[in-house]
Amino acid sequence: MTDLVPVRRALLSVSDKTGLIDLGRSLAARGVELLSTGGTAKALREAGLEVRDVSEVTGFPEMMDGRVKTLHPMVHGGLLALRDNEAHVMAMEEHGIGPIDLLVVNLYPFEATVAKGAEYDDCIENIDIGGPAMIRAAAKNHAFVNVVVDTEDYARLLGELDRHDGATCLKFRRKLAQIAYARTGAYDAAVSTWMANALGDTQPRRRVFAGALAQGLRYGENPHQQAAFYIDGSDRPGVATAKQWQGKELSYNNINDTDAAFELVSEFLPAGGPACAIIKHANPCGVARGTTLEEAYRRAFDCDRTSAFGGIVALNMKLDEPTARAISEIFTEVVIAPAADDAAKEIFAAKKNLRLLTTGGLANPAAAALTYRQVSGGFLVQDKDNGRIEASDLKVVTKRAPTEAEIADMLFAWTVAKHVKSNAIVYVRDGATVGVGAGQMSRVDSCRIAARKAEDMAEALGLSEPLTKGCAVASDAFFPFSDGLLAAVEAGATAVIQPGGSIRDEDVIAAADEAGLAMVLTGMRHFRH
């Protein structure tokens, strides 16, 4: 297989004109003949460059609104011909097919068209056909042909030509081919996913996910694991779209935990007041509202100060100076908020290991999306858990109905429980978590762990009794027996919110009545594994 291949003839056909003129000038200065189509050729000519139209090469005009212009043997023969195959060379000579050594193509902006909510027919018209066909042809024949599909690779291409006196090496062409196939694969995935959604097909025969590399990571969950962060191109506010103002690069665990924190705090709209969520290992260790953002942070912090150390702090509104000062009192890995004022940024500037991210807004917790998880031999796909419960949805099943204050705390606890690993138990009092039990095999253990944490915090805060006394408690799934409920009663809960649906619901309701509890059922569970 040939190593160095000189670039003498290039075909340029791009939707994104970024860097096009500079690339064209650099190639022309190296004596490369330029072929082009439509708007690309026009842009190059307007810049004073000599360009030959593909229609001149093929002998056919662009037709059918540009749908047919490069789908021709004069183009694909020039891309696919093996230069060291005598029969291929003879065929080129016989039919007057000139070799194409470089293909520069970026595709119709299908993904952007879908993202802006275009009509079905507009989306169809933005499905590129000739582009992917040429890319795949050039990539297959990378022994002789260079294919560039991303504007950020223009500089790499020119550098390679400089290093090899107008030629490229095989290793370089192979890497370009891999990038090219990944691009067409991602493009086809976007089209097939959009069409499935347009058809209302929730279980298409084949499901493909694609992402673009955002950053290579130092390692994964553990130092011996390699990892990288890919983004899917969606505009949902969060860690993938945030701006980082300071601090070293986010780690794998940072990204995972920051996503969990921001998705949780986005459940609390600013109209309801400031809110803060503190996350450790993807689980909330404190969530609260307050009259000010600083108060919300301090109330969340007081749920579990030990776990909050080295955690992730998410806020539902602009970070201000008082809150930044409060957060700076302990070591915090990441702070993420819709925005941050200059005074807050200045305070954090002294904390070189703290990362500050701003998102420009909150994520919409009700928006439809898919989540997926790998298992051996495949992956699971499901709708994102965007289930929400209002006070009007609650079914009171005990003799005592909850007070308005208890309903408010139950709904708050229910919202937090949705973001806690199962089995999840969340104690809430006056709009702040006061105990969280996560990820236990037994719901009773979750109840007791959350209560024990509250006891420890009461001692640390110098309180006469734990804040779980007089609280509301949420369980992400039903109580299979009354023992979990009784553990919550022992902790001091007076109101309970749970899905219901156990064959022993009547036993659990009877236990609640005997304890004088108010209990409501949601008819919805929030398992999070």
Side-chain angles (χ1 to χ4, degrees):
M1 189 175 284
T2 305
D3 189 359
L4 290 180
V5 172
V7 174
R8 301 189 179 95
R9 196 164 182 247
L11 195 165
L12 287 67
S13 182
V14 296
S15 292
D16 181 357
K17 305 297 191 292
T18 303
L20 171 65
I21 303 306
D22 289 340
L23 175 64
R25 285 172 175 160
S26 296
L27 292 174
R30 290 170 171 80
V32 177
E33 179 188 3
L34 303 182
L35 310 179
S36 192
T37 61
T40 306
K42 179 182 178 183
L44 291 169
R45 285 197 183 94
E46 288 177 350
L49 292 168
E50 184 176 343
V51 185
R52 189 178 181 194
D53 282 320
V54 165
S55 59
E56 180 184 343
V57 174
T58 63
F60 278 85
E62 293 186 17
M63 63 182 70
M64 301 176 187
D65 299 320
R67 285 188 171 204
V68 179
K69 50 190 173 186
T70 59
L71 297 170
H72 194 281
M74 297 298 288
V75 173
H76 285 267
L79 292 172
L80 283 166
L82 298 174
R83 317 298 164 77
D84 59 357
N85 183 303
E86 185 178 350
H88 287 206
V89 173
M90 289 178 61
M92 292 175 72
E93 291 176 352
E94 180 181 355
H95 298 287
I97 298 173
I100 298 173
D101 310 307
L102 167 64
L103 176 72
V104 181
V105 170
N106 54 60
L107 304 174
Y108 291 174
F110 176 80
E111 296 100 329
T113 302
V114 172
K116 70 182 182 182
E119 296 295 325
Y120 185 92
D121 288 346
D122 289 336
C123 293
I124 290 295
E125 286 306 310
N126 276 278
I127 298 175
D128 204 325
I129 302 301
M134 289 192 294
I135 289 171
R136 292 177 63 82
K140 176 176 180 176
N141 201 25
H142 62 267
F144 304 99
V145 181
N146 302 270
V147 54
V148 178
V149 297
D150 294 323
T151 58
E152 54 262 46
D153 286 331
Y154 291 177
R156 291 180 59 208
L157 169 68
L158 297 175
E160 176 76 0
L161 293 174
D162 286 341
R163 278 188 293 275
H164 299 295
D165 194 25
T168 64
C169 71
L170 180 58
K171 181 179 179 181
F172 180 77
R173 295 192 300 277
R174 281 177 172 167
K175 181 58 180 175
L176 289 181
Q178 182 274 318
I179 293 171
Y181 279 124
R183 178 65 188 112
T184 57
Y187 196 78
D188 287 341
V191 174
S192 65
T193 298
W194 168 77
M195 292 197 78
N197 291 337
L199 292 169
D201 187 354
T202 59
Q203 297 179 351
R205 180 177 299 166
R206 291 181 175 83
R207 171 78 75 178
V208 184
F209 296 97
L213 181 66
Q215 68 182 85
L217 302 173
R218 286 173 293 154
Y219 53 82
E221 285 185 289
N222 301 291
H224 63 275
Q225 295 173 267
Q226 293 187 0
F229 181 32
Y230 290 83
I231 56 176
D232 63 11
S234 61
D235 58 358
R236 184 178 179 86
V239 65
T241 56
K243 177 177 180 180
Q244 182 171 344
W245 292 90
Q246 67 169 67
K248 59 187 178 181
E249 284 190 346
L250 296 169
S251 70
Y252 181 100
N253 292 329
N254 290 153
I255 292 169
N256 188 56
D257 290 352
T258 302
D259 177 67
F262 197 69
E263 287 293 317
L264 171 50
V265 87
S266 292
E267 299 270 7
F268 301 102
L269 298 178
C276 172
I278 306 175
I279 296 290
K280 194 70 167 289
H281 299 309
N283 272 307
C285 50
V287 186
R289 281 201 182 272
T291 56
T292 66
L293 203 57
E294 179 189 4
E295 182 186 25
Y297 167 74
R298 292 195 182 277
R299 297 187 75 208
F301 179 55
D302 284 345
C303 178
D304 186 353
R305 291 184 175 184
T306 301
S307 298
F309 185 86
I312 311 293
V313 174
L315 307 165
N316 73 337
M317 56 180 58
K318 180 186 282 190
L319 173 66
D320 55 22
E321 180 179 5
T323 310
R325 290 194 184 281
I327 293 172
S328 296
E329 292 173 3
I330 68 162
F331 171 60
T332 299
E333 288 273 9
V334 181
V335 176
I336 184 168
D341 65 27
D342 291 339
K345 292 176 187 174
E346 186 175 347
I347 291 168
F348 281 174
K351 299 283 185 178
K352 65 178 182 178
N353 290 324
L354 184 150
R355 292 85 149 190
L356 172 62
L357 306 178
T358 57
T359 62
L362 294 176
N364 179 3
L370 293 178
T371 64
Y372 49 97
R373 176 177 297 177
Q374 184 181 8
V375 297
S376 296
F379 51 91
L380 297 168
V381 180
Q382 66 173 350
D383 292 335
K384 186 179 181 66
D385 184 359
N386 57 8
R388 300 174 70 81
I389 293 293
E390 305 294 338
S392 59
D393 299 314
L394 302 178
K395 178 183 178 182
V396 179
V397 292
T398 48
K399 295 175 182 177
R400 183 174 78 80
T403 66
E404 287 189 12
E406 286 175 327
I407 289 174
D409 279 346
M410 284 192 292
L411 291 172
F412 189 99
W414 180 252
T415 301
V416 175
K418 172 181 167 182
H419 295 264
V420 179
K421 295 293 179 70
S422 300
N423 288 311
I425 292 291
V426 179
Y427 296 113
V428 166
R429 179 170 159 181
D430 298 330
T433 57
V434 292
V436 178
Q440 299 304 305
M441 290 69 74
S442 163
R443 196 164 299 279
V444 177
D445 287 343
S446 291
C447 291
R448 290 171 177 165
I449 288 171
R452 177 56 189 270
K453 284 179 172 289
E455 291 170 2
D456 291 344
M457 278 308 304
E459 183 178 346
L461 296 170
L463 302 176
S464 60
E465 62 180 12
L467 290 173
T468 49
K469 300 299 181 182
C471 74
V473 61
S475 174
D476 64 340
F478 60 66
F479 287 101
F481 302 96
S482 59
D483 53 359
L485 180 78
L486 295 176
V489 171
E490 185 177 346
T494 62
V496 182
I497 182 170
Q498 58 128 329
S502 168
I503 60 174
R504 295 181 178 85
D505 271 354
E506 292 305 317
D507 295 341
V508 174
I509 294 169
D513 281 332
E514 186 175 347
L517 295 179
M519 186 162 68
V520 300
L521 304 184
T522 64
M524 174 188 293
R525 78 178 187 196
H526 282 309
F527 271 160
R528 186 177 181 86
H529 291 99

